[in-house]
Amino acid sequence: MSTHASNTTESTADSTAQLDVLGDECARTILVATSGEPRTAKELTDRTDSSSATVYRRINNLLESGLLSECVRFEEDGSHTTAYEATVDTIRVRIDADGIDVSLLGSAESA
């Protein structure tokens, strides 16, 4: 079971930052891994070929860009841990004369 918690990091909904984050393979792996269910940093480190320090940096980048959120995962033994989950399942990029716009859509919005 998980409970959503607000990001403690200030969100930068800047299109350039979001595209930069998505350009990193480790960040994309984290985003995919957290799209089905919340995962801890250790679980995410196990899924990537990266060090835990790299995974934490990518988690922070994803949090800051609004692509990931923190939640609390409660274990059966009563303990709890911080986990992370993707906030979007669809990312739309629009390019026009005004520049580049990135739209982040959750499952309800993209249907």
Side-chain angles (χ1 to χ4, degrees):
M1 171 174 29
S2 65
T3 303
H4 294 280
S6 62
N7 266 344
T8 55
T9 317
E10 219 172 279
S11 178
T12 62
D14 176 55
S15 297
T16 303
Q18 291 165 335
L19 292 175
D20 285 347
V21 169
L22 292 171
D24 182 80
E25 183 178 353
C26 180
R28 290 191 308 269
T29 300
I30 291 169
L31 198 57
V32 169
T34 58
S35 66
E37 66 182 87
R39 306 267 183 199
T40 65
K42 177 163 180 6
E43 291 168 338
L44 294 170
T45 300
D46 293 343
R47 288 178 167 253
T48 65
D49 291 329
S50 303
S51 68
S52 61
T54 297
V55 168
Y56 274 107
R57 281 193 300 273
R58 296 316 180 269
I59 287 170
N60 286 331
N61 292 343
L62 288 161
L63 288 168
E64 289 174 0
S65 64
L67 299 169
L68 200 68
S69 67
E70 288 182 335
C71 63
V72 177
R73 188 165 74 186
F74 296 94
E75 307 298 337
E76 289 182 15
D77 65 1
S79 65
H80 65 280
T81 186
T82 299
Y84 305 92
E85 59 188 335
T87 59
V88 298
D89 66 1
T90 303
I91 300 171
R92 294 186 182 154
V93 179
R94 193 177 96 203
I95 303 169
D96 61 22
D98 294 328
I100 296 174
D101 180 58
V102 177
S103 300
L104 307 176
L105 305 171
S107 56
E109 298 166 307
S110 62

